[in-house]
Amino acid sequence: QVQLVESGGGLVSPGGSLRLSCAASGRTPSRYAMGWFRQAPGKEREFVAAIGWSAGSSYADSVKGRFTISRDSTKNTMYLQMNSLRPDDTAVYYCAAAPTMLVVRTRPDAWGQGTEVTVSS
């Protein structure tokens, strides 16, 4: 099975930036989509961004133009560059993996345990 571990979260001021990382270990299929989700206090977990093995990507409307998803296949690591952060970006961010971008957005095969992002002045 694939194990996913997120890192890079922390406290940042509004307008600031953070880069989250998701490292995959164990069995890592060569053609696997990965994505980011987040869960804010008192809210349901929501989709943030996804990237396929072919480098195609998609984003939630709330983060378009501010967040960028990428991956380094040689390191089995996915990244989420978050710029222009706002207080409503505060959440626990989770990475996920699945065979396709469609599946990763709906029913991921594997989840990380999350990294907390707090945007506050």
Side-chain angles (χ1 to χ4, degrees), residues 29-54:
S30 60
R31 297 182 178 182
Y32 234 65
M34 301 182 73
W36 290 97
F37 294 76
R38 66 186 183 187
Q39 187 167 16
K43 297 183 179 180
E44 298 293 324
R45 186 174 298 186
E46 65 177 355
F47 168 76
V48 176
I51 186 167
W53 62 268
S54 62

Side-chain angles (χ1 to χ4, degrees), residues 19 21 27 49 58 63 66-67 72 74 79-83 87 91 94-95 103 110 113-114 117-118 120:
R19 189 180 74 161
S21 298
R27 297 186 65 183
S58 64
V63 306
R66 300 189 298 120
F67 292 9
D72 184 341
T74 64
Y79 306 95
L80 184 68
Q81 179 66 47
M82 306 186 295
N83 299 326
Y94 301 87
C95 64
V103 177
Q113 296 191 31
V117 172
T118 301
S120 177

Side-chain angles (χ1 to χ4, degrees), residues 43-93:
K43 297 183 179 180
E44 298 293 324
R45 186 174 298 186
E46 65 177 355
F47 168 76
V48 176
I51 186 167
W53 62 268
S54 62
S57 61
S58 64
Y59 298 88
D61 289 342
S62 60
V63 306
K64 286 181 179 178
R66 300 189 298 120
F67 292 9
T68 302
I69 190 171
S70 62
R71 66 191 301 172
D72 184 341
S73 296
T74 64
K75 298 180 179 180
N76 293 321
T77 302
M78 174 181 64
Y79 306 95
L80 184 68
Q81 179 66 47
M82 306 186 295
N83 299 326
S84 302
L85 284 163
R86 306 188 294 232
D88 60 2
D89 293 318
T90 295
V92 177
Y93 284 71

